Amino acid sequence: MAHDEEPLLAHPPTAEVAHHVEDYERFTKLLKYGAIACLAIGFLVVLIIS
């Protein structure tokens, strides 16, 4: 994960940086699940069209 490469992400020095790290984790989760949902919808559309 990113925290293995960046010690700043594993141990944020201030509360503002810690909040940013939490936002980053939520954003990457949203991106991952959004991509999975788009893939599933794409498969359904292709299934309906063919």
Short mmCIF file of all heavy atoms in Angstrom, two decimals:
data_model
loop_
_atom_site.label_atom_id
_atom_site.label_comp_id
_atom_site.label_asym_id
_atom_site.label_seq_id
_atom_site.Cartn_x
_atom_site.Cartn_y
_atom_site.Cartn_z
N MET A 1 0.83 -1.18 0.00
CA MET A 1 0.00 0.00 0.00
C MET A 1 0.88 1.25 0.00
O MET A 1 2.08 1.19 0.14
CB MET A 1 -0.90 0.01 1.23
CG MET A 1 -2.00 -1.02 1.26
SD MET A 1 -3.16 -0.89 -0.08
CE MET A 1 -4.27 0.32 0.51
N ALA A 2 0.21 2.37 -0.09
CA ALA A 2 0.93 3.63 -0.14
C ALA A 2 1.63 3.94 1.18
O ALA A 2 2.68 4.56 1.18
CB ALA A 2 -0.03 4.75 -0.50
N HIS A 3 1.06 3.50 2.30
CA HIS A 3 1.69 3.82 3.57
C HIS A 3 3.01 3.08 3.77
O HIS A 3 3.80 3.46 4.62
CB HIS A 3 0.75 3.58 4.75
CG HIS A 3 0.28 2.17 4.87
ND1 HIS A 3 1.02 1.19 5.44
CD2 HIS A 3 -0.87 1.59 4.48
CE1 HIS A 3 0.35 0.06 5.41
NE2 HIS A 3 -0.81 0.27 4.81
N ASP A 4 3.26 2.01 3.00
CA ASP A 4 4.55 1.35 3.06
C ASP A 4 5.64 2.21 2.43
O ASP A 4 6.78 2.19 2.88
CB ASP A 4 4.50 0.00 2.34
CG ASP A 4 3.57 -0.97 3.03
OD1 ASP A 4 3.38 -0.82 4.26
OD2 ASP A 4 3.03 -1.86 2.36
N GLU A 5 5.28 2.97 1.41
CA GLU A 5 6.24 3.81 0.72
C GLU A 5 6.34 5.20 1.32
O GLU A 5 7.37 5.83 1.27
CB GLU A 5 5.84 3.94 -0.76
CG GLU A 5 5.80 2.61 -1.48
CD GLU A 5 5.17 2.74 -2.85
OE1 GLU A 5 4.89 3.87 -3.29
OE2 GLU A 5 4.95 1.70 -3.48
N GLU A 6 5.25 5.71 1.88
CA GLU A 6 5.21 7.07 2.41
C GLU A 6 4.95 7.04 3.91
O GLU A 6 3.83 6.80 4.34
CB GLU A 6 4.08 7.85 1.72
CG GLU A 6 4.29 8.07 0.25
CD GLU A 6 5.34 9.14 -0.02
OE1 GLU A 6 5.59 9.99 0.84
OE2 GLU A 6 5.92 9.08 -1.11
N PRO A 7 5.97 7.31 4.73
CA PRO A 7 5.73 7.33 6.17
C PRO A 7 4.79 8.44 6.60
O PRO A 7 4.16 8.36 7.63
CB PRO A 7 7.13 7.54 6.77
CG PRO A 7 7.96 8.08 5.66
CD PRO A 7 7.35 7.59 4.38
N LEU A 8 4.67 9.48 5.77
CA LEU A 8 3.75 10.57 6.08
C LEU A 8 2.32 10.08 6.11
O LEU A 8 1.51 10.54 6.92
CB LEU A 8 3.90 11.69 5.03
CG LEU A 8 3.06 12.93 5.22
CD1 LEU A 8 3.51 13.66 6.49
CD2 LEU A 8 3.20 13.85 4.03
N LEU A 9 1.98 9.11 5.26
CA LEU A 9 0.63 8.57 5.23
C LEU A 9 0.37 7.65 6.42
O LEU A 9 -0.76 7.55 6.90
CB LEU A 9 0.37 7.83 3.93
CG LEU A 9 0.41 8.67 2.65
CD1 LEU A 9 0.21 7.78 1.44
CD2 LEU A 9 -0.63 9.76 2.69
N ALA A 10 1.40 6.98 6.89
CA ALA A 10 1.23 6.06 8.01
C ALA A 10 1.17 6.81 9.35
O ALA A 10 0.42 6.43 10.25
CB ALA A 10 2.36 5.05 8.04
N HIS A 11 1.95 7.88 9.47
CA HIS A 11 2.01 8.65 10.72
C HIS A 11 1.94 10.14 10.40
O HIS A 11 2.97 10.83 10.37
CB HIS A 11 3.31 8.35 11.48
CG HIS A 11 3.50 6.89 11.75
ND1 HIS A 11 2.75 6.20 12.67
CD2 HIS A 11 4.33 5.98 11.20
CE1 HIS A 11 3.13 4.93 12.68
NE2 HIS A 11 4.08 4.78 11.78
N PRO A 12 0.74 10.66 10.14
CA PRO A 12 0.62 12.08 9.80
C PRO A 12 1.04 12.96 10.98
O PRO A 12 0.66 12.68 12.12
CB PRO A 12 -0.84 12.26 9.47
CG PRO A 12 -1.52 11.01 9.80
CD PRO A 12 -0.52 9.96 10.09
N PRO A 13 1.79 14.02 10.71
CA PRO A 13 2.31 14.86 11.80
C PRO A 13 1.28 15.80 12.43
O PRO A 13 1.38 16.13 13.60
CB PRO A 13 3.42 15.67 11.12
CG PRO A 13 3.06 15.70 9.69
CD PRO A 13 2.33 14.42 9.41
N THR A 14 0.28 16.24 11.66
CA THR A 14 -0.72 17.17 12.21
C THR A 14 -2.12 16.63 11.96
O THR A 14 -2.33 15.71 11.18
CB THR A 14 -0.59 18.55 11.53
OG1 THR A 14 -0.92 18.42 10.14
CG2 THR A 14 0.79 19.14 11.68
N ALA A 15 -3.08 17.26 12.62
CA ALA A 15 -4.48 16.84 12.46
C ALA A 15 -4.98 17.13 11.05
O ALA A 15 -5.77 16.36 10.51
CB ALA A 15 -5.34 17.56 13.49
N GLU A 16 -4.52 18.22 10.44
CA GLU A 16 -4.95 18.54 9.08
C GLU A 16 -4.46 17.49 8.09
O GLU A 16 -5.21 17.08 7.19
CB GLU A 16 -4.42 19.92 8.67
CG GLU A 16 -5.08 21.06 9.40
CD GLU A 16 -4.50 22.40 9.01
OE1 GLU A 16 -3.60 22.44 8.15
OE2 GLU A 16 -4.97 23.40 9.56
N VAL A 17 -3.22 17.06 8.25
CA VAL A 17 -2.68 16.03 7.36
C VAL A 17 -3.41 14.71 7.60
O VAL A 17 -3.71 13.98 6.65
CB VAL A 17 -1.15 15.88 7.56
CG1 VAL A 17 -0.60 14.74 6.73
CG2 VAL A 17 -0.44 17.17 7.21
N ALA A 18 -3.72 14.40 8.84
CA ALA A 18 -4.46 13.17 9.14
C ALA A 18 -5.83 13.19 8.48
O ALA A 18 -6.29 12.18 7.94
CB ALA A 18 -4.60 13.01 10.65
N HIS A 19 -6.50 14.34 8.50
CA HIS A 19 -7.81 14.46 7.85
C HIS A 19 -7.66 14.28 6.34
O HIS A 19 -8.49 13.62 5.70
CB HIS A 19 -8.43 15.82 8.17
CG HIS A 19 -9.79 16.00 7.60
ND1 HIS A 19 -10.88 15.28 8.05
CD2 HIS A 19 -10.24 16.79 6.60
CE1 HIS A 19 -11.94 15.63 7.36
NE2 HIS A 19 -11.58 16.55 6.46
N HIS A 20 -6.61 14.83 5.77
CA HIS A 20 -6.37 14.68 4.33
C HIS A 20 -6.12 13.22 3.98
O HIS A 20 -6.59 12.73 2.95
CB HIS A 20 -5.17 15.53 3.90
CG HIS A 20 -4.79 15.33 2.48
ND1 HIS A 20 -5.55 15.80 1.43
CD2 HIS A 20 -3.74 14.68 1.92
CE1 HIS A 20 -4.98 15.46 0.29
NE2 HIS A 20 -3.87 14.78 0.56
N VAL A 21 -5.39 12.50 4.82
CA VAL A 21 -5.11 11.08 4.58
C VAL A 21 -6.41 10.29 4.61
O VAL A 21 -6.64 9.42 3.78
CB VAL A 21 -4.10 10.53 5.61
CG1 VAL A 21 -4.01 9.02 5.56
CG2 VAL A 21 -2.73 11.16 5.37
N GLU A 22 -7.32 10.62 5.55
CA GLU A 22 -8.61 9.95 5.60
C GLU A 22 -9.42 10.23 4.33
O GLU A 22 -10.07 9.34 3.79
CB GLU A 22 -9.40 10.40 6.83
CG GLU A 22 -8.83 9.89 8.13
CD GLU A 22 -9.58 10.46 9.32
OE1 GLU A 22 -10.68 11.03 9.13
OE2 GLU A 22 -9.05 10.36 10.43
N ASP A 23 -9.39 11.47 3.86
CA ASP A 23 -10.10 11.82 2.63
C ASP A 23 -9.52 11.05 1.44
O ASP A 23 -10.26 10.61 0.56
CB ASP A 23 -10.02 13.32 2.36
CG ASP A 23 -10.92 14.13 3.27
OD1 ASP A 23 -11.81 13.54 3.89
OD2 ASP A 23 -10.70 15.36 3.35
N TYR A 24 -8.21 10.91 1.42
CA TYR A 24 -7.55 10.19 0.33
C TYR A 24 -7.99 8.73 0.33
O TYR A 24 -8.27 8.16 -0.73
CB TYR A 24 -6.03 10.28 0.50
CG TYR A 24 -5.24 9.52 -0.52
CD1 TYR A 24 -5.12 10.00 -1.81
CD2 TYR A 24 -4.62 8.32 -0.19
CE1 TYR A 24 -4.39 9.30 -2.76
CE2 TYR A 24 -3.90 7.63 -1.13
CZ TYR A 24 -3.78 8.12 -2.41
OH TYR A 24 -3.06 7.43 -3.34
N GLU A 25 -8.08 8.11 1.50
CA GLU A 25 -8.51 6.72 1.58
C GLU A 25 -9.96 6.57 1.11
O GLU A 25 -10.27 5.63 0.38
CB GLU A 25 -8.37 6.21 3.02
CG GLU A 25 -6.93 6.05 3.46
CD GLU A 25 -6.81 5.72 4.93
OE1 GLU A 25 -7.85 5.64 5.64
OE2 GLU A 25 -5.66 5.53 5.37
N ARG A 26 -10.82 7.50 1.50
CA ARG A 26 -12.22 7.45 1.05
C ARG A 26 -12.32 7.66 -0.46
O ARG A 26 -13.12 7.01 -1.13
CB ARG A 26 -13.06 8.49 1.78
CG ARG A 26 -13.43 8.05 3.18
CD ARG A 26 -14.36 9.04 3.80
NE ARG A 26 -13.51 9.96 4.56
CZ ARG A 26 -13.93 11.09 5.10
NH1 ARG A 26 -15.18 11.45 4.96
NH2 ARG A 26 -13.12 11.85 5.77
N PHE A 27 -11.50 8.56 -0.99
CA PHE A 27 -11.52 8.83 -2.42
C PHE A 27 -11.09 7.61 -3.22
O PHE A 27 -11.72 7.25 -4.22
CB PHE A 27 -10.60 10.01 -2.74
CG PHE A 27 -10.43 10.27 -4.21
CD1 PHE A 27 -11.47 10.81 -4.94
CD2 PHE A 27 -9.25 9.95 -4.85
CE1 PHE A 27 -11.33 11.05 -6.30
CE2 PHE A 27 -9.10 10.19 -6.20
CZ PHE A 27 -10.14 10.74 -6.93
N THR A 28 -10.03 6.92 -2.78
CA THR A 28 -9.58 5.74 -3.52
C THR A 28 -10.60 4.61 -3.43
O THR A 28 -10.79 3.88 -4.40
CB THR A 28 -8.21 5.25 -3.02
OG1 THR A 28 -8.25 5.04 -1.61
CG2 THR A 28 -7.13 6.26 -3.34
N LYS A 29 -11.29 4.50 -2.29
CA LYS A 29 -12.35 3.50 -2.17
C LYS A 29 -13.49 3.81 -3.13
O LYS A 29 -14.02 2.94 -3.80
CB LYS A 29 -12.88 3.50 -0.73
CG LYS A 29 -12.83 2.16 -0.05
CD LYS A 29 -13.45 2.25 1.31
CE LYS A 29 -12.39 1.90 2.32
NZ LYS A 29 -12.91 1.80 3.67
N LEU A 30 -13.88 5.10 -3.18
CA LEU A 30 -14.95 5.53 -4.08
C LEU A 30 -14.57 5.25 -5.53
O LEU A 30 -15.39 4.77 -6.32
CB LEU A 30 -15.21 7.02 -3.89
CG LEU A 30 -16.22 7.67 -4.83
CD1 LEU A 30 -17.62 7.17 -4.49
CD2 LEU A 30 -16.15 9.17 -4.70
N LEU A 31 -13.33 5.53 -5.89
CA LEU A 31 -12.86 5.30 -7.25
C LEU A 31 -12.90 3.81 -7.60
O LEU A 31 -13.34 3.43 -8.68
CB LEU A 31 -11.43 5.83 -7.39
CG LEU A 31 -11.00 6.40 -8.71
CD1 LEU A 31 -11.87 7.56 -9.11
CD2 LEU A 31 -9.54 6.84 -8.63
N LYS A 32 -12.46 2.98 -6.66
CA LYS A 32 -12.44 1.53 -6.90
C LYS A 32 -13.85 0.98 -7.09
O LYS A 32 -14.12 0.26 -8.06
CB LYS A 32 -11.75 0.83 -5.73
CG LYS A 32 -11.70 -0.68 -5.88
CD LYS A 32 -10.92 -1.33 -4.76
CE LYS A 32 -11.69 -1.32 -3.49
NZ LYS A 32 -11.05 -2.09 -2.41
N TYR A 33 -14.76 1.33 -6.19
CA TYR A 33 -16.11 0.80 -6.29
C TYR A 33 -16.86 1.41 -7.47
O TYR A 33 -17.71 0.75 -8.08
CB TYR A 33 -16.89 1.00 -4.99
CG TYR A 33 -16.34 0.13 -3.88
CD1 TYR A 33 -15.97 0.68 -2.65
CD2 TYR A 33 -16.18 -1.24 -4.05
CE1 TYR A 33 -15.46 -0.11 -1.64
CE2 TYR A 33 -15.67 -2.04 -3.04
CZ TYR A 33 -15.32 -1.47 -1.85
OH TYR A 33 -14.82 -2.25 -0.85
N GLY A 34 -16.55 2.65 -7.82
CA GLY A 34 -17.14 3.26 -9.00
C GLY A 34 -16.71 2.54 -10.27
O GLY A 34 -17.52 2.32 -11.18
N ALA A 35 -15.44 2.17 -10.34
CA ALA A 35 -14.95 1.44 -11.51
C ALA A 35 -15.59 0.06 -11.61
O ALA A 35 -15.96 -0.38 -12.71
CB ALA A 35 -13.43 1.32 -11.44
N ILE A 36 -15.76 -0.61 -10.49
CA ILE A 36 -16.40 -1.93 -10.49
C ILE A 36 -17.86 -1.80 -10.93
O ILE A 36 -18.35 -2.61 -11.73
CB ILE A 36 -16.28 -2.58 -9.10
CG1 ILE A 36 -14.82 -2.95 -8.82
CG2 ILE A 36 -17.17 -3.81 -8.99
CD1 ILE A 36 -14.55 -3.39 -7.39
N ALA A 37 -18.56 -0.77 -10.45
CA ALA A 37 -19.96 -0.56 -10.84
C ALA A 37 -20.06 -0.26 -12.33
O ALA A 37 -20.94 -0.79 -13.01
CB ALA A 37 -20.56 0.58 -10.01
N CYS A 38 -19.16 0.58 -12.85
CA CYS A 38 -19.19 0.90 -14.28
C CYS A 38 -18.92 -0.35 -15.12
O CYS A 38 -19.53 -0.53 -16.18
CB CYS A 38 -18.16 1.97 -14.60
SG CYS A 38 -18.65 3.60 -14.03
N LEU A 39 -18.03 -1.19 -14.67
CA LEU A 39 -17.74 -2.43 -15.38
C LEU A 39 -18.98 -3.33 -15.42
O LEU A 39 -19.33 -3.88 -16.47
CB LEU A 39 -16.57 -3.15 -14.73
CG LEU A 39 -16.11 -4.44 -15.40
CD1 LEU A 39 -15.50 -4.14 -16.76
CD2 LEU A 39 -15.11 -5.16 -14.53
N ALA A 40 -19.65 -3.46 -14.28
CA ALA A 40 -20.85 -4.30 -14.22
C ALA A 40 -21.96 -3.73 -15.12
O ALA A 40 -22.62 -4.48 -15.85
CB ALA A 40 -21.34 -4.41 -12.78
N ILE A 41 -22.14 -2.42 -15.08
CA ILE A 41 -23.16 -1.80 -15.93
C ILE A 41 -22.81 -1.97 -17.40
O ILE A 41 -23.67 -2.24 -18.24
CB ILE A 41 -23.34 -0.32 -15.56
CG1 ILE A 41 -23.96 -0.20 -14.18
CG2 ILE A 41 -24.17 0.42 -16.59
CD1 ILE A 41 -23.96 1.19 -13.60
N GLY A 42 -21.53 -1.84 -17.71
CA GLY A 42 -21.08 -2.05 -19.10
C GLY A 42 -21.37 -3.46 -19.58
O GLY A 42 -21.83 -3.66 -20.71
N PHE A 43 -21.12 -4.46 -18.74
CA PHE A 43 -21.43 -5.84 -19.11
C PHE A 43 -22.93 -6.02 -19.33
O PHE A 43 -23.34 -6.72 -20.25
CB PHE A 43 -20.93 -6.82 -18.05
CG PHE A 43 -19.48 -7.15 -18.17
CD1 PHE A 43 -18.66 -7.14 -17.06
CD2 PHE A 43 -18.90 -7.49 -19.40
CE1 PHE A 43 -17.32 -7.45 -17.15
CE2 PHE A 43 -17.56 -7.79 -19.50
CZ PHE A 43 -16.77 -7.77 -18.39
N LEU A 44 -23.74 -5.41 -18.48
CA LEU A 44 -25.19 -5.53 -18.64
C LEU A 44 -25.65 -4.88 -19.94
O LEU A 44 -26.51 -5.44 -20.64
CB LEU A 44 -25.92 -4.87 -17.46
CG LEU A 44 -25.89 -5.66 -16.15
CD1 LEU A 44 -26.48 -4.82 -15.04
CD2 LEU A 44 -26.64 -6.96 -16.30
N VAL A 45 -25.11 -3.74 -20.29
CA VAL A 45 -25.48 -3.07 -21.54
C VAL A 45 -25.08 -3.92 -22.73
O VAL A 45 -25.87 -4.08 -23.67
CB VAL A 45 -24.83 -1.65 -21.61
CG1 VAL A 45 -24.96 -1.06 -22.99
CG2 VAL A 45 -25.46 -0.74 -20.56
N VAL A 46 -23.89 -4.47 -22.71
CA VAL A 46 -23.45 -5.32 -23.81
C VAL A 46 -24.33 -6.57 -23.91
O VAL A 46 -24.69 -7.01 -25.01
CB VAL A 46 -21.96 -5.71 -23.66
CG1 VAL A 46 -21.55 -6.82 -24.60
CG2 VAL A 46 -21.08 -4.49 -23.84
N LEU A 47 -24.71 -7.13 -22.77
CA LEU A 47 -25.58 -8.29 -22.74
C LEU A 47 -26.96 -7.96 -23.35
O LEU A 47 -27.52 -8.74 -24.11
CB LEU A 47 -25.74 -8.80 -21.32
CG LEU A 47 -26.54 -10.07 -21.12
CD1 LEU A 47 -25.79 -11.26 -21.74
CD2 LEU A 47 -26.76 -10.33 -19.64
N ILE A 48 -27.50 -6.79 -23.02
CA ILE A 48 -28.80 -6.38 -23.54
C ILE A 48 -28.72 -6.10 -25.03
O ILE A 48 -29.62 -6.46 -25.78
CB ILE A 48 -29.32 -5.14 -22.77
CG1 ILE A 48 -29.68 -5.54 -21.34
CG2 ILE A 48 -30.51 -4.51 -23.47
CD1 ILE A 48 -29.98 -4.37 -20.42
N ILE A 49 -27.66 -5.45 -25.48
CA ILE A 49 -27.52 -5.10 -26.91
C ILE A 49 -27.35 -6.33 -27.78
O ILE A 49 -27.92 -6.40 -28.87
CB ILE A 49 -26.34 -4.11 -27.12
CG1 ILE A 49 -26.68 -2.76 -26.52
CG2 ILE A 49 -25.99 -3.99 -28.58
CD1 ILE A 49 -25.55 -1.77 -26.54
N SER A 50 -26.61 -7.31 -27.30
CA SER A 50 -26.35 -8.48 -28.16
C SER A 50 -27.38 -9.57 -28.04
O SER A 50 -28.44 -9.50 -27.62
CB SER A 50 -25.01 -9.09 -27.82
OG SER A 50 -24.96 -9.50 -26.46
#
